[in-house]
Amino acid sequence: MTVGTFGDISVIQASSGSYRAEARYRDWDGRVRKVTASGPSKRAAKFALREKLSTRMRVGANGGLTSDSSFGALAELWLEDIALSKELADGTKELYGRELRTLVMPTFEPFALREITVGRVDRFLKLQAGRSYARARHSRVVLNLMFNFALRQEAVVRNPVTGTTRLKRPKTNPKALNLEQIEQIRLAAKGWRTGGSLNGPKPDGQVRDLIEVMLGTGARIGEVLAIRKGDINAATAPMRVSIAGTIVVLKGRPVHRQDRPKTDSSNRTVAVPEFAADVIRRRLEVIANQDDDHLLFFSRNRTPLAPFNVRRTLREIFKAAGLEEMKISPHSFRRTGATAITRGADLETAAEFLGHTSTTVTREHYVEVEEIVNLASATILQALAPVE
C-alpha cells in the first residue's frame, strides 16, 4: 500500500451488539497500523471507519501530532515553537501565551484537531466579536498561527481559520486633544499632590515632563520611557531624539529596556518642538554626570519606570482634576501629534513621524477627521457665480 491508503475493511459484531469495522492503514511515517471504528450497524461502522481514515494523518519526526491529537497537544508544541523564535520579542511571546490561555483554550481544549472545523471556528469568532472586536481579532490571530503550525507538521490538511467570515472592524473616529484640553491636562499635572498636608513623598515632576515629551515626539509611552541620554542630540536646532527602544514588562522578570521599539519601522529620529526640548534639557541636567545609557525618565531606584504604573498615575491625576470624562490615555498625545502634523503638513509626514510604514494606519487610527472643509473651496466655486 502507498502512504495514505488502506486495505480491505472487515466488520465484526462485538459482544455488546455493536459492530466494529477495521482496516490496515499505511501512515505518513510508512508504518502500517490497524484502524478501527464502531457503530450500531455494519453500515454505520464502515462509514465511521472511512470518515476516520479520510482525516487520519500521522507524523513521527515533527512532534507526533496527528488529526486525532488534542488541541491541548497542539497548544503545547506551538508554544515551544514560538519560544525558539528569534524574530518575536519576548513580550509578544508572552502575549500569545496569555491570549491562548484566556481566549482560545476554554472553547477548544475538549476537541481533537480533526473536530475543529471551519464552521466551529467561525461560530466561535462571531461569539467573540459579539463581546468585542479586539477579542475576536486576537483570538483569530492566535488560532491562525496555531493551525498554520499544525499544517506544517502535517497534522491537518487545511487551516480552518482561513475559511471563516472576515471580521469587520467597527468604524471609529480618532479623537485628538484641542488646545484647551491640553492646557487643562498641563494644569492638572502641575497641581497634582502639591498640598502641604498630603502623606507620602511629593511628585518629582517626571509625569508632568513625560506628558510634554509624549506630545513633542509622538512616541508610545514605552518608547518615551526608553529614551536614553545618548539618544538625544541637543546640539541641533531643532533638537533631535532617536526612538530606538521600549520598556517591557514580562512575567517573572524585572522591568527592563528592550533595544528595539514595537516594530522595525518604529526605529526613527524625530525633531522635537521647543516646548518639549526645554523639558528634555531640564531632564538632561538631572543626569548630567551619568553615562549615555542612562534613561531620561527613571524611578527613585534608578530603574526603568513601568508603563502600567505611569498609566495609573495619569488616571489618578485626571481623576483628581475632574477630567475623567475626557477619557485621556497616553495614546491621546500620539493621536494629537499626528492630527496636528497632518493638518499643518500632510498625512505622509505624520506617518513618518509616528514610525508607520503606511499612511493607512495613520489615517484610520490616529488622525481626527476635520469637520470644517477647506475654506479655499468657497473662492474656487465663486467662479460659477452668475454674470451680471
Side-chain angles (χ1 to χ4, degrees):
M1 293 184 295
T2 58
V3 169
T5 62
F6 57 92
D8 294 336
I9 296 177
S10 60
V11 182
I12 59 174
Q13 187 173 14
S15 58
S16 61
S18 63
Y19 291 84
R20 185 175 74 248
E22 58 183 39
R24 294 190 308 154
Y25 180 88
R26 191 171 182 208
D27 271 317
W28 289 92
D29 59 0
R31 296 180 180 276
V32 176
R33 294 180 174 87
K34 181 187 291 185
V35 183
T36 65
S38 299
S41 66
K42 289 183 178 181
R43 183 177 180 181
K46 284 184 177 181
F47 181 83
L49 179 60
R50 288 194 178 96
E51 184 178 26
K52 190 173 184 179
L53 290 170
S54 69
T55 59
R56 182 182 179 87
M57 300 181 71
R58 288 193 178 274
V59 294
N62 295 325
L65 277 181
T66 75
S67 61
D68 289 324
S69 296
S70 67
F71 182 79
L74 169 62
E76 184 178 349
L77 290 176
W78 177 66
L79 288 175
E80 290 177 2
D81 184 68
I82 64 171
L84 298 175
S85 173
K86 295 182 179 180
E87 297 178 358
L88 295 176
D90 290 340
T92 302
K93 296 174 184 178
E94 188 172 286
L95 175 64
Y96 284 160
R98 183 167 63 250
E99 292 179 341
L100 168 63
R101 292 188 299 272
T102 59
L103 301 179
V104 178
M105 284 296 285
T107 296
F108 292 102
E109 188 173 16
F111 296 104
L113 298 186
R114 59 182 170 78
E115 296 174 324
I116 302 176
T117 61
V118 175
R120 181 163 275 137
V121 175
D122 189 66
R123 175 172 172 77
F124 165 74
L125 293 177
K126 287 177 178 176
L127 290 173
Q128 295 285 67
R131 300 179 66 177
S132 77
Y133 169 79
R135 189 180 182 93
R137 182 170 63 86
H138 293 170
S139 298
R140 193 182 196 280
V141 167
V142 169
L143 281 172
N144 189 53
L145 291 171
M146 292 181 69
F147 276 99
N148 277 338
F149 172 75
L151 199 61
R152 294 193 299 272
Q153 304 303 303
E154 297 183 329
V156 294
V157 294
R158 64 172 301 184
N159 182 344
V161 182
T162 58
T164 57
T165 305
R166 183 180 178 182
L167 296 173
K168 294 184 179 180
R169 182 189 296 271
K171 188 172 180 60
T172 57
N173 180 23
K175 290 293 182 181
L177 300 168
N178 58 40
L179 292 177
E180 181 182 351
Q181 291 171 325
I182 293 174
E183 188 59 27
Q184 287 179 297
I185 291 170
R186 284 170 169 155
L187 289 174
K190 183 179 180 180
W192 185 62
R193 289 180 57 83
T194 55
S197 60
L198 293 174
N199 296 325
K202 290 187 176 182
D204 56 10
Q206 287 202 81
V207 175
R208 177 196 63 208
D209 292 346
L210 185 66
I211 290 172
E212 303 297 339
V213 178
M214 284 193 288
L215 272 172
T217 62
R220 302 172 181 90
I221 183 171
E223 294 171 345
V224 174
L225 293 175
I227 295 175
R228 301 165 297 185
K229 179 180 177 181
D231 295 327
I232 301 163
N233 186 347
T236 62
M239 178 187 288
R240 298 177 184 178
V241 175
S242 295
I243 308 299
T246 190
I247 300 298
V248 294
V249 182
L250 300 176
K251 187 176 181 179
R253 294 177 58 182
V255 179
H256 65 281
R257 184 185 186 277
Q258 178 179 281
D259 287 333
R260 64 179 187 276
K262 183 178 180 181
T263 64
D264 291 338
S265 61
S266 296
N267 276 293
R268 63 200 186 279
T269 299
V270 297
V272 299
E274 193 59 26
F275 72 83
D278 286 341
V279 171
I280 292 174
R281 291 189 191 99
R282 186 167 66 246
R283 297 296 311 161
L284 287 175
E285 291 178 4
V286 175
I287 57 174
N289 297 325
Q290 304 297 327
D291 58 33
D292 284 350
D293 286 333
H294 200 286
L295 294 171
L296 193 66
F297 299 98
F298 49 89
S299 71
R300 289 182 171 84
N301 296 324
R302 300 278 173 172
T303 57
L305 292 172
F308 63 84
N309 282 337
V310 175
R311 289 191 182 96
R312 182 177 59 196
T313 301
L314 286 171
R315 288 194 297 269
E316 291 174 359
I317 291 173
F318 301 146
K319 182 179 180 179
L323 303 179
E324 292 175 287
E325 292 185 1
M326 291 170 59
K327 297 181 179 179
I328 309 161
S329 70
H331 247 49
S332 299
F333 305 116
R334 187 166 162 83
R335 286 192 290 268
T336 300
T339 300
I341 291 174
T342 299
R343 293 176 181 175
D346 51 49
L347 187 62
E348 287 73 18
T349 304
E352 181 181 351
F353 176 71
L354 296 184
H356 292 161
T357 56
S358 168
T359 58
T360 302
V361 174
T362 311
R363 181 180 60 254
E364 292 182 357
H365 303 290
Y366 289 91
V367 178
E368 183 175 359
V369 176
E370 192 169 16
E371 296 180 357
I372 301 176
V373 299
N374 192 327
L375 300 181
S377 59
T379 304
I380 297 170
L381 291 175
Q382 183 59 29
L384 304 179
V387 178
E388 296 182 357

